[in-house]
């Protein structure tokens, strides 16, 4: 996962600071994910990273498959799949708003 994240950030030209800002995460969280293969995170954080990097759906699936997280078939996870497949060109803030309208928690806490 860590190596894939580093490669995708390079591909998309995102620094740790810019990705953290776009995800509404602390830069240290991104650094830990990049540098510590065993760093425990959540599917919400990974989905936020995929959205912030504007990854094509198949690339998002590949990144998620390299993590310790997975997407199931719960209504919440099906909504995350929708975001990854249909809203990946939107911002995390816009996706969080969609989740709020569906009465779901946002992917990340906005600053």
């Amino acid at each position: 996962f860590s190596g894939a994240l580093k490669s995708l950030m390079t591909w998309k030209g995102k620094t740790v600071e810019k990705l953290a800002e776009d995800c509404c995460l602390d830069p240290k969280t991104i650094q830990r994910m990049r540098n510590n293969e065993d760093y425990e995170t959540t599917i919400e954080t990974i989905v936020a990273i995929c959205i912030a990097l504007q990854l094509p759906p198949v690339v998002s699936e590949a990144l998620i498959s390299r993590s310790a997280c997975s997407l199931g078939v719960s209504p919440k996870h099906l909504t995350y799949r929708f975001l990854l497949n249909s809203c990946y060109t939107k911002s995390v803030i816009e996706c969080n708003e969609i989740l709020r309208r569906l009465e779901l928690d946002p992917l990340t806490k906005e600053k």
Side-chain angles (χ1 to χ4, degrees):
F1 178 83
S2 296
L5 178 58
K6 288 177 190 175
S7 295
L8 290 170
M9 288 175 65
T10 299
W11 177 48
K12 290 297 193 162
K14 293 271 187 175
T15 64
V16 168
E17 294 75 19
K18 181 62 176 153
L19 180 58
E21 179 185 325
D22 292 349
C23 292
C24 305
L25 293 169
D26 188 295
K28 290 184 183 190
T29 300
I30 302 296
Q31 287 175 332
R32 288 183 192 110
M33 292 175 75
R34 286 172 46 100
N35 299 323
N36 182 355
E37 195 66 42
D38 296 323
Y39 181 72
E40 291 187 29
T41 189
T42 65
I43 190 65
E44 289 79 11
T45 297
I46 296 172
V47 170
I49 287 171
C50 292
I51 298 288
L53 289 172
Q54 297 188 324
L55 298 178
V58 69
V59 178
S60 292
E61 288 176 29
L63 182 62
I64 292 168
S65 74
R66 285 166 174 75
S67 76
C69 300
S70 63
L71 285 171
V73 293
S74 69
K76 178 170 70 170
H77 282 202
L78 290 174
T79 304
Y80 294 166
R81 287 181 194 276
F82 166 77
L83 294 176
L84 291 169
N85 288 315
S86 302
C87 302
Y88 65 93
T89 59
K90 296 184 181 296
S91 70
V92 170
I93 292 171
E94 290 171 303
C95 291
N96 282 344
E97 184 54 38
I98 291 168
L99 291 168
R100 278 191 201 91
R101 280 189 263 142
L102 295 171
E103 299 182 1
L104 295 169
D105 290 333
L107 296 169
T108 57
K109 306 289 186 248
E110 296 167 24
K111 297 176 183 172

